[in-house]
Amino acid sequence: MAYDGTAAANEMEQQQRVWAALDSFRIEIPSWGFANTGTRFGKFVQSGAATNIAEKFADAGEVNRLTGASPTVALHVLWDLANGTGDVETIRSLGKEHGVKAGSINPNLFQSQEYKFGSIANPSAEVRRTALDHLLESVEIGRALGSRDISIWVSDGSNYPGTQSIRRRIGWMEEVLGALHAATTDDQRMLIEYKPFEPAFYHTDIADWGMALHLAQKAGPRAKVLVDTGHHYQGTNIEQIVAWLLHTESLGGFHFNDRKYADDDLTIGSIDPYQVFRIFHEILSAPDSATNGIAYMIDQSHNLKGKMEAMVQSVVTAQELFARAALVDLEALTQLQNECRLVEAEELFRNCFWTDVRPMVRAWREERGLPADPLTQLRQSGYVERISKERAEKNLGAISSYA
Ligand code: AFD
Ligand code: MN
Ligand code: MN
């Protein structure tokens, strides 16, 4: 086998690989990525931020029109469906109006006062019941909207040693998640997200992939693990976790973002694009039985960058990194790995990462009737200026409540 250092020896084959990858790649965008959010030190209000679910759907529809790759929008139950199943009709018609469908349903187990000492891991059976009722309502909402995934992030934990029984809290979580699993139908899944710390600062009840995997396996076959790329300690080999979750057929999906330090929710690939490429490679090199139905989702919120620009950047970056990973000639790489021809294997792998796929992506966009450069199109369209004017009063008028 000629060592040509690249996967596809010729342009044509490269373009075919890239186009096939882009045709298959869809990534969900979060409703909360369009609204004013901030850090615990405050918010910098954007006049064009979405202030209600209708504006969130309008913005999501615009991102999908520009990129052709984000047809579903993740919803947060309390923030987007204040009336629970009562808002399903509204969501349905907004979806039709803007050409994007409701995606994963995100329960909120971290904001209400009753969850001060935890939700599904709270020592009070009453609070655990309240949390379970909220989860069950989220299942109902998902069913009514035809959404497959209930995406669960549990912020439970404690801040000081000795104040809670870490072990007894495990059993309480198993109980609630088991009851939730029993309420899901075969066309639904429950994704269990993990996070090492924040807002809990001594122990977090679902702190790593092993804990999430145990809880998913204990709950049942429709429970899977959700990997948020910002939810790992520095230096963690995330693609190794992905490989283990693929091997155990427990990988439900991702919340993509980037981080320099902690759960910074920066735009995907803005700090470490090679890591995202390595994650996508694990998926593209795994059997379909393990990768079927993986939910690619963005989980980001920006205090400084414009919401719309940041979301388009994220979708475009995810597409480009997925396309690069699709260049890897898996057969050739496997042979080099089996023969331990290290540098040749690494060069084949690295060359795909370093291949500038943007011209091929541009050609794909034009071929599919999409803007060749979504970010430039967004800028030229005047969409951000328009929504900033329309929403300024509501956003800037609310500043006092944020101060
Ligand atoms: C926060 C949490 C977690 C969750 C997201 C949406 O850290 O990532 O998925 O909010 O609820 O980012
Ligand atoms: Mn997340
Ligand atoms: Mn997070």
Side-chain angles (χ1 to χ4, degrees):
M1 180 199 63
Y3 159 48
D4 66 9
T6 58
N10 59 53
E11 285 279 303
M12 205 42 224
E13 198 204 331
Q14 281 197 341
Q15 168 145 319
Q16 277 161 356
R17 282 169 179 265
V18 165
W19 282 29
L22 293 171
D23 281 338
S24 73
F25 185 73
R26 295 292 175 272
I27 188 162
E28 184 164 296
I29 47 185
S31 68
W32 55 93
F34 297 109
N36 273 315
T37 51
T39 68
R40 58 187 174 137
F41 304 104
K43 289 185 190 186
F44 294 108
V45 176
Q46 298 188 19
S47 50
T51 62
N52 57 43
I53 188 66
E55 291 169 357
K56 290 173 185 174
F57 264 86
D59 292 354
E62 186 63 15
V63 172
N64 188 43
R65 254 189 304 283
L66 289 165
T67 62
S70 54
T72 57
V73 53
L75 300 177
H76 230 283
V77 178
L78 287 200
W79 304 336
D80 299 326
L81 294 115
N83 309 310
T85 43
D87 288 340
V88 162
E89 241 349 277
T90 311
I91 300 284
R92 276 210 198 100
S93 57
L94 286 171
K96 278 200 200 85
E97 183 185 347
H98 296 292
V100 281
K101 274 174 62 61
S104 60
I105 303 299
N106 292 260
N108 189 316
L109 295 172
F110 50 86
Q111 222 167 323
S112 310
Q113 295 301 310
E114 63 218 308
Y115 297 140
K116 181 174 180 179
F117 302 115
S119 60
I120 67 170
N122 192 300
S124 149
E126 214 180 302
V127 173
R128 296 198 302 271
R129 179 73 238 181
T130 305
L132 176 57
D133 290 344
H134 179 66
L135 287 165
L136 293 172
E137 183 182 23
S138 303
V139 168
E140 280 317 303
I141 290 170
R143 214 184 335 272
L145 287 170
S147 299
R148 178 189 59 180
D149 294 336
I150 307 293
S151 190
I152 304 159
W153 173 57
V154 174
S155 63
D156 295 21
S158 66
N159 285 354
Y160 300 95
T163 57
Q164 280 293 305
S165 162
I166 297 173
R167 186 179 46 73
R168 286 194 296 140
R169 290 168 73 101
I170 300 168
W172 295 329
M173 291 195 290
E174 288 175 343
E175 217 175 289
V176 172
L177 294 174
L180 178 66
H181 187 276
T184 56
T185 46
D186 283 345
D187 52 359
Q188 287 183 298
R189 303 186 314 172
M190 47 192 270
L191 308 184
I192 300 174
E193 186 173 1
Y194 59 89
K195 180 172 178 179
F197 74 97
E198 189 198 32
F201 292 106
Y202 166 64
H203 97 277
T204 295
D205 289 298
I206 311 178
D208 70 19
W209 72 278
M211 300 173 196
L213 179 59
H214 164 75
L215 290 168
Q217 290 176 334
K218 185 88 179 171
R222 294 187 291 278
K224 303 285 178 191
V225 176
L226 177 72
V227 177
D228 183 309
T229 48
H231 291 187
H232 302 85
Y233 289 119
Q234 297 271 350
T236 303
N237 185 327
I238 300 177
E239 61 271 25
Q240 183 179 9
I241 294 172
V242 171
W244 273 86
L245 292 174
L246 287 164
H247 180 74
T248 54
E249 301 201 344
S250 310
L251 179 62
F254 294 88
H255 273 175
F256 280 117
N257 45 61
D258 214 339
R259 45 72 71 84
K260 182 70 186 150
Y261 300 103
D263 185 28
D264 313 333
D265 281 351
L266 303 175
T267 28
I268 176 177
S270 57
I271 305 289
D272 184 355
Y274 194 30
Q275 170 180 272
V276 183
F277 169 88
R278 301 193 304 264
I279 289 171
F280 282 145
H281 167 68
E282 285 308 321
I283 291 158
L284 290 170
S285 57
D288 286 352
S289 57
T291 61
N292 265 340
I294 286 181
Y296 297 123
M297 302 185 274
I298 290 166
D299 176 11
Q300 69 183 40
S301 68
H302 298 289
N303 215 13
L304 303 181
K305 277 203 273 200
K307 307 273 168 191
M308 283 298 291
E309 287 175 292
M311 199 63 78
V312 170
Q313 276 186 309
S314 291
V315 175
V316 167
T317 304
Q319 285 179 298
E320 288 172 1
L321 290 169
F322 191 75
R324 291 190 200 183
L327 288 178
V328 176
D329 180 334
L330 297 172
E331 211 182 304
L333 183 65
T334 304
Q335 187 177 345
L336 294 172
Q337 290 171 340
N338 291 344
E339 295 166 15
C340 295
R341 291 158 63 182
L342 309 183
V343 173
E344 291 168 87
E346 185 192 12
E347 282 305 296
L348 186 156
F349 194 69
R350 267 165 39 97
N351 274 303
C352 296
F353 173 67
W354 288 112
T355 301
D356 183 0
V357 297
R358 288 174 297 184
M360 292 182 262
V361 176
R362 196 184 177 85
W364 174 82
R365 293 188 191 288
E366 286 166 337
E367 175 69 18
R368 297 290 181 267
L370 294 161
D373 178 342
L375 204 51
T376 306
Q377 178 64 29
L378 173 65
R379 293 223 180 93
Q380 287 169 352
S381 70
Y383 182 84
V384 175
E385 289 70 17
R386 180 166 63 75
I387 60 174
S388 299
K389 237 188 253 122
E390 283 168 7
R391 304 172 187 173
E393 176 55 30
K394 286 187 284 184
N395 281 307
L396 303 180
I399 279 185
S400 49
S401 62
Y402 292 141

Coordinates of all heavy atoms in Angstrom, one line a residue, residues 32 76 79 106-108 110 151-153 193-195 197-199 226 228 231 255 257 263 265 299-301, ligand 1:
W32 N -31.6 27.9 24.5 CA -31.0 28.8 25.5 C -29.8 29.5 24.9 O -29.3 30.5 25.5 CB -30.7 28.1 26.8 CG -29.8 26.9 26.7 CD1 -28.5 26.8 26.8 CD2 -30.3 25.6 26.4 NE1 -28.0 25.5 26.6 CE2 -29.1 24.7 26.4 CE3 -31.5 24.9 26.2 CZ2 -29.1 23.3 26.2 CZ3 -31.5 23.6 26.0 CH2 -30.4 22.8 26.0
H76 N -35.8 23.7 26.8 CA -35.7 23.6 28.3 C -37.1 23.8 28.9 O -37.7 24.8 28.6 CB -34.8 24.7 28.8 CG -33.7 24.2 29.7 ND1 -33.9 23.9 31.0 CD2 -32.4 23.9 29.4 CE1 -32.8 23.4 31.5 NE2 -31.9 23.5 30.6
W79 N -37.9 27.0 30.9 CA -37.6 28.3 30.2 C -38.5 28.4 29.0 O -38.8 29.5 28.5 CB -36.2 28.4 29.9 CG -35.2 28.2 31.0 CD1 -35.5 28.5 32.3 CD2 -33.8 27.8 30.9 NE1 -34.3 28.2 33.1 CE2 -33.3 27.8 32.3 CE3 -33.0 27.4 29.9 CZ2 -32.0 27.4 32.6 CZ3 -31.7 27.0 30.2 CH2 -31.2 27.1 31.5
N106 N -35.3 19.2 27.8 CA -34.4 19.3 28.9 C -35.2 19.7 30.2 O -35.6 20.8 30.3 CB -33.3 20.4 28.6 CG -32.4 20.0 27.5 OD1 -31.3 19.5 27.7 ND2 -32.8 20.1 26.2
P107 N -35.4 18.7 31.1 CA -36.0 19.1 32.4 C -35.1 20.1 33.1 O -33.9 20.1 32.8 CB -36.1 17.7 33.1 CG -35.8 16.7 32.1 CD -35.0 17.3 31.0
N108 N -35.7 20.8 34.1 CA -34.9 21.7 34.9 C -35.0 21.3 36.3 O -36.0 21.5 37.0 CB -35.5 23.1 34.7 CG -34.6 24.1 35.4 OD1 -34.1 23.9 36.5 ND2 -34.4 25.3 34.7
F110 N -32.6 22.1 38.5 CA -31.5 22.8 39.2 C -31.9 24.2 39.7 O -31.1 24.9 40.3 CB -30.2 22.9 38.4 CG -30.5 23.4 37.0 CD1 -30.5 24.7 36.7 CD2 -30.7 22.5 35.9 CE1 -30.7 25.2 35.4 CE2 -30.9 22.9 34.6 CZ -30.9 24.3 34.3
S151 N -33.3 14.9 27.9 CA -31.9 15.1 28.1 C -31.7 15.6 29.6 O -32.1 16.7 29.9 CB -31.3 16.1 27.1 OG -29.9 16.2 27.2
I152 N -31.2 14.8 30.5 CA -31.3 15.1 31.9 C -29.9 15.5 32.4 O -28.9 14.7 32.4 CB -31.7 13.8 32.7 CG1 -33.1 13.3 32.1 CG2 -31.8 14.1 34.2 CD1 -33.3 11.9 32.4
W153 N -29.8 16.7 33.0 CA -28.6 17.1 33.7 C -29.0 17.3 35.1 O -29.9 18.1 35.5 CB -28.0 18.4 33.1 CG -26.9 18.9 34.0 CD1 -25.8 18.2 34.3 CD2 -26.8 20.1 34.7 NE1 -25.0 18.9 35.2 CE2 -25.6 20.1 35.4 CE3 -27.6 21.3 34.8 CZ2 -25.2 21.2 36.2 CZ3 -27.2 22.3 35.5 CH2 -26.0 22.3 36.2
E193 N -26.7 13.0 31.6 CA -25.5 13.8 31.4 C -24.6 13.8 32.7 O -25.2 13.8 33.8 CB -25.9 15.3 31.1 CG -24.8 16.2 30.7 CD -25.3 17.6 30.2 OE1 -26.5 17.8 30.2 OE2 -24.4 18.4 29.9
Y194 N -23.4 13.9 32.7 CA -22.5 14.0 33.9 C -21.7 15.3 33.8 O -21.5 15.9 32.8 CB -21.6 12.8 33.9 CG -20.6 12.6 32.8 CD1 -19.4 13.2 32.7 CD2 -21.0 11.9 31.6 CE1 -18.5 13.1 31.6 CE2 -20.2 11.7 30.5 CZ -18.9 12.3 30.5 OH -18.1 12.2 29.4
K195 N -21.2 15.7 35.0 CA -20.4 16.9 35.1 C -19.6 16.9 36.4 O -20.2 16.6 37.5 CB -21.4 18.1 35.1 CG -20.7 19.5 35.2 CD -21.7 20.6 35.0 CE -21.0 22.0 35.1 NZ -21.9 23.1 34.9
F197 N -18.1 19.1 38.5 CA -18.4 20.0 39.5 C -19.2 21.2 38.9 O -19.2 21.3 37.7 CB -17.1 20.5 40.2 CG -16.3 21.5 39.4 CD1 -16.4 22.8 39.5 CD2 -15.5 21.0 38.3 CE1 -15.7 23.7 38.7 CE2 -14.8 21.9 37.5 CZ -14.9 23.2 37.7
E198 N -19.7 22.0 39.8 CA -20.4 23.3 39.5 C -21.9 23.0 39.1 O -22.1 22.3 38.2 CB -19.8 24.0 38.3 CG -20.4 25.4 38.2 CD -20.1 26.0 36.8 OE1 -20.0 25.3 35.8 OE2 -20.1 27.2 36.8
P199 N -22.9 23.3 39.9 CA -22.8 24.2 41.1 C -22.4 23.6 42.4 O -22.2 24.3 43.4 CB -24.2 24.8 41.1 CG -25.1 23.7 40.6 CD -24.2 23.0 39.5
L226 N -24.9 11.0 28.1 CA -24.7 12.2 27.3 C -23.4 12.8 27.6 O -23.1 13.0 28.8 CB -25.8 13.2 27.5 CG -25.7 14.6 26.8 CD1 -25.9 14.4 25.3 CD2 -26.6 15.6 27.4
D228 N -21.0 15.9 27.6 CA -20.9 17.3 27.3 C -19.4 17.6 27.3 O -18.7 17.3 28.3 CB -21.6 18.1 28.5 CG -21.5 19.6 28.2 OD1 -20.4 20.1 27.9 OD2 -22.6 20.3 28.3
H231 N -17.5 19.1 30.2 CA -17.7 18.5 31.6 C -16.7 17.5 31.9 O -17.0 16.4 32.4 CB -19.1 17.8 31.6 CG -20.2 18.8 31.6 ND1 -21.5 18.5 31.8 CD2 -20.2 20.2 31.4 CE1 -22.3 19.5 31.7 NE2 -21.6 20.6 31.5
H255 N -23.3 17.1 24.1 CA -23.4 18.6 24.1 C -22.1 19.1 23.8 O -21.1 19.0 24.5 CB -23.8 19.0 25.5 CG -25.3 19.0 25.8 ND1 -25.8 19.2 27.0 CD2 -26.3 18.7 25.0 CE1 -27.1 19.1 27.0 NE2 -27.5 18.8 25.8
N257 N -19.3 22.0 23.0 CA -18.9 23.3 23.3 C -17.4 23.2 23.5 O -16.8 22.1 23.3 CB -19.6 23.9 24.5 CG -19.6 22.9 25.7 OD1 -18.5 22.5 26.1 ND2 -20.7 22.5 26.1
D263 N -16.4 24.5 32.6 CA -17.5 24.3 31.8 C -17.8 25.7 31.2 O -18.8 26.4 31.5 CB -18.7 23.8 32.6 CG -19.9 23.6 31.7 OD1 -19.7 23.3 30.5 OD2 -21.1 23.7 32.1
D265 N -18.5 26.7 28.2 CA -19.5 26.8 27.1 C -19.1 27.8 26.0 O -19.9 28.5 25.4 CB -20.9 27.3 27.7 CG -21.6 26.1 28.4 OD1 -21.1 25.0 28.2 OD2 -22.6 26.4 29.1
D299 N -24.4 22.8 23.1 CA -24.8 23.4 24.4 C -23.9 24.6 24.7 O -22.7 24.3 25.1 CB -24.7 22.3 25.5 CG -25.1 22.9 26.9 OD1 -25.6 24.1 26.9 OD2 -24.8 22.3 27.9
Q300 N -24.3 25.8 24.3 CA -23.4 26.9 24.5 C -24.2 28.1 24.9 O -25.4 28.2 24.7 CB -22.7 27.2 23.3 CG -23.6 27.7 22.1 CD -22.8 28.0 20.8 OE1 -22.0 27.2 20.4 NE2 -23.1 29.0 20.1
S301 N -23.6 29.0 25.6 CA -24.3 30.3 25.8 C -23.2 31.4 25.9 O -22.2 31.1 26.5 CB -25.1 30.2 27.1 OG -24.2 30.2 28.2
Ligands
AFD1 C1 -25.5 23.9 31.8 C2 -25.1 22.6 32.5 C3 -25.3 21.4 31.5 C4 -26.7 21.4 30.9 C5 -27.0 22.8 30.3 C6 -28.4 22.9 29.8 O1 -23.7 22.7 32.8 O2 -24.4 21.4 30.5 O3 -26.7 20.5 29.8 O4 -26.9 23.8 31.3 O5 -29.3 22.6 30.9 O6 -24.6 24.2 30.8

